[in-house]
Amino acid sequence: MITANKDIKAVDLVREALEKAKEFEEYHCFISMNEARALEHAREIDERIARGENVGRLAGVPYALKDNYLSHEGETTAAARMLDDFPSPITATAVAKLEAEGAIMIGRANLDAYAHGSSTENSYFGVTHNAHDMERVAGGSSGGSAAAVALGIVQFALGSDTGGSIRQPASYNGVYGIKPTFGTVSRYGVVAMASSTDTMGCFTNNADDMNLIMSIMSGKDAKDSTTLDDFWQEKLEDGKQAEKKKIGLISDFLGDGVDPEVAKNVRDYAKKLEKAGYAVEEVSMPILKYGLAIYYVVQPAEVASNLSRYDGIRYGHRAAEFDDLDGLYANTRNEGFMPENKRRIMIGNFVLSSGFFDAYYLKAQKARTLLINAYNEVFEKYDALLCPVAPAPAFKIGEKVNDPLAMYMEDVMSVPPSMAGLPAISVPAGKTKAGLPVGAQLIGQRQSDQMLLSIAKSVEEQA
């Protein structure tokens, strides 16, 4: 991580990032820029360095903020018309921690509206393009953040991951992305999607940078009762010296329905792990095929609940024309929500309705417990699991936008760890013949996040 010091000016780091953002403007990584305030912060840091003051572990490091994190700087839109021009009254805990260490937000990264999507095509502000192919999606929902890191605009970017929204874009753009153990990072100040699986993570270009960012963001927060006591260590275990683990390669995600080049790249990554001294063997987890069905009952139910607060009265968009209170609600929500938001609200309200609660929502939660038990059982034998992040490389823009089921299938491999609250990271595994990145997914037991990063670092050190 390149930080400011007596020889490297924070102002120069920020200006370079802003210039790159303009150079790659056509990729549409950002919804809005924070140029004036970023340069002001950079000058303050340079002045403090000149006075010999402590400026933090991220002094002058520019970063991109996914636009569902609230911050006093700029407007938090969550890429939705509903929150267009919304000035945030608070700053997210994770953002406050990073900026206390000297990190500088240069702009707000694009995403699917309210983080609902797998391609960033659902953004009210337009689609983000893949860093390796302008005709393809950057993934979602954190597509803007992933592309900004992959293009070299920033050294790290924040994202949120509910069912794959960090890992899948990381895979599509060839960078590192982490979904930490549920409760590792405070959700306070982040626009809620599905509260039982929302996690806050980041994108970087290597394991050490990711470890540093996560060590700063993690820890207990009185404003979020689900946060865990801080278990993160500042330094990552040396990959060469790390105790070698036993890793299970999930065979269920390497067969039918998986792009052959994706399967090959993940198997090649498994060989690199073996070369690094890890024991790798195939393991079958048949229950994983039900993970997506479980997720798309539980998640829309929580989405419907969380989005009920957007009524045109308290904050956000308000319809200009209405006849009565019901009309205000209806018109506001019809205008403010994207089609995917509405789809998930309708599914969620359906599965929570009195006639279908037991048949769908309750049954899905019971199946979720079986999924968690299956993971617990397999972790009695294996220290970590390996599989693809997504069944195929990045698809073309517009290819699946009118096929919700095909879009949801992009999450089939990333959803199961989310439902179990497990840590999972996407690491670059290779590329297809067409030059599209492919990510491998490492999954561990709760609070084994740093072990996964150490495993990834072991492969890094072979290069």
Side-chain angles (χ1 to χ4, degrees):
M1 186 77 68
I2 300 173
T3 60
N5 53 46
K6 290 183 179 180
D7 299 318
I8 301 174
K9 299 296 183 184
V11 167
D12 292 335
L13 292 175
V14 169
R15 280 178 177 157
E16 182 182 1
L18 290 168
E19 287 171 4
K20 285 185 177 178
K22 292 175 183 176
E23 178 185 350
F24 295 114
E25 189 173 4
E26 62 182 338
Y27 286 84
H28 196 216
C29 300
F30 296 93
I31 291 175
S32 62
M33 300 305 295
N34 193 40
E35 184 169 354
R37 289 288 289 149
L39 288 169
E40 181 181 338
H41 287 314
R43 284 189 285 270
E44 291 171 357
I45 287 174
D46 286 335
E47 290 171 1
R48 291 175 59 194
I49 290 174
R51 293 194 297 266
E53 297 178 11
N54 177 23
V55 288
R57 290 173 283 174
L58 297 174
V61 177
Y63 76 98
L65 181 65
K66 184 177 181 180
D67 201 24
N68 60 345
Y69 283 76
L70 278 71
S71 168
H72 285 306
E73 297 190 0
E75 294 161 340
T76 303
T77 70
R81 184 186 182 190
M82 187 71 81
L83 289 175
D84 191 12
D85 299 326
F86 175 67
S88 172
I90 62 172
T91 292
T93 297
V95 174
K97 286 184 173 184
L98 290 169
E99 296 186 353
E101 291 286 347
I104 299 174
M105 187 265 284
I106 66 160
R108 292 176 167 276
N110 196 20
L111 65 147
D112 290 291
Y114 286 107
H116 300 172
S118 303
S119 64
T120 316
E121 292 173 286
N122 296 321
S123 170
Y124 176 63
F125 300 95
V127 65
T128 295
H129 299 266
N130 188 285
H132 297 262
D133 186 340
M134 282 285 290
E135 294 184 358
R136 295 179 183 271
V137 300
S141 62
S142 310
S145 295
V149 173
L151 290 168
I153 298 171
V154 289
Q155 297 182 62
F156 78 93
L158 294 197
S160 60
D161 192 311
T162 303
S165 288
I166 289 176
R167 289 162 288 159
Q168 187 243 39
S171 174
Y172 282 5
N173 290 277
V175 296
Y176 282 69
I178 184 169
K179 185 212 86 67
T181 299
F182 181 79
T184 299
V185 179
S186 174
R187 294 173 297 134
Y188 177 76
V190 183
V191 177
M193 179 181 172
S195 300
S196 73
T197 56
D198 283 351
T199 56
M200 308 304 122
C202 64
F203 299 88
T204 64
N205 285 304
N206 58 64
D208 281 323
D209 285 356
M210 179 167 285
N211 186 69
L212 174 60
I213 302 304
M214 294 303 298
S215 70
I216 292 170
M217 292 199 298
S218 62
K220 197 77 175 176
D221 182 11
K223 296 173 181 176
D224 179 357
S225 63
T226 66
T227 46
L228 304 170
D229 291 332
D230 193 4
F231 62 88
W232 213 283
Q233 303 300 313
E234 184 174 338
K235 289 190 176 181
L236 189 62
E237 186 178 12
D238 190 303
K240 292 180 179 177
Q241 305 300 322
E243 179 185 351
K244 300 311 177 185
K245 309 291 184 181
K246 191 173 184 180
I247 299 172
L249 177 61
I250 302 176
S251 58
D252 309 75
F253 286 153
L254 292 170
D256 294 342
V258 179
D259 185 286
E261 290 191 90
V262 168
K264 181 183 183 302
N265 274 286
V266 172
R267 289 190 182 279
D268 288 346
Y269 191 83
K271 292 176 183 176
K272 293 176 183 177
L273 289 170
E274 290 176 328
K275 186 178 178 182
Y278 296 92
V280 181
E281 64 181 44
E282 291 196 12
V283 59
S284 178
M285 294 185 67
I287 195 171
L288 295 183
K289 64 185 177 183
Y290 300 110
L292 194 68
I294 297 169
Y295 179 78
Y296 276 105
V297 171
V298 174
Q299 182 251 42
E302 296 183 10
V303 164
S305 176
N306 279 322
L307 292 186
S308 64
R309 71 193 69 179
Y310 299 96
D311 54 12
I313 295 176
R314 284 167 283 190
Y315 53 84
H317 175 74
R318 174 183 288 192
E321 297 181 5
F322 54 90
D323 296 325
D324 52 24
L325 186 60
D326 286 342
L328 170 61
Y329 293 157
N331 292 351
T332 294
R333 291 167 69 81
N334 183 50
E335 294 171 7
F337 290 139
M338 301 288 285
E340 183 60 30
N341 306 140
K342 297 173 185 177
R343 184 178 295 115
R344 297 190 189 204
I345 290 170
M346 288 190 289
I347 294 172
N349 285 329
F350 175 78
V351 301
L352 289 174
S353 61
S354 59
F356 299 97
F357 180 87
D358 290 347
Y360 292 100
Y361 184 76
L362 185 61
K363 186 174 290 186
Q365 291 289 19
K366 290 178 178 179
R368 183 182 191 175
T369 300
L370 295 177
L371 177 66
I372 293 170
N373 292 341
Y375 272 119
N376 291 338
E377 183 178 341
V378 80
F379 280 128
E380 291 178 3
K381 186 175 181 181
Y382 299 99
D383 298 291
L385 299 171
L386 173 68
C387 68
V389 176
F395 50 91
K396 290 191 174 182
I397 293 171
E399 182 179 331
K400 300 184 180 183
V401 73
N402 294 318
D403 189 346
L405 184 58
M407 191 74 78
Y408 293 166
M409 286 301 295
E410 293 300 310
D411 301 332
V412 68
M413 298 168 180
S414 57
V415 155
S418 295
M419 297 308 299
L422 303 174
I425 63 174
S426 174
V427 295
K431 292 184 178 181
T432 66
K433 293 177 182 177
L436 299 175
V438 173
Q441 182 175 205
L442 288 165
I443 305 164
Q445 301 179 66
R446 288 176 60 83
Q447 300 187 43
S448 69
D449 309 49
Q450 284 183 292
M451 180 197 73
L452 299 179
L453 288 175
S454 291
I455 293 172
K457 187 174 180 179
S458 299
V459 176
E460 278 181 27
E461 290 168 345
Q462 292 181 35

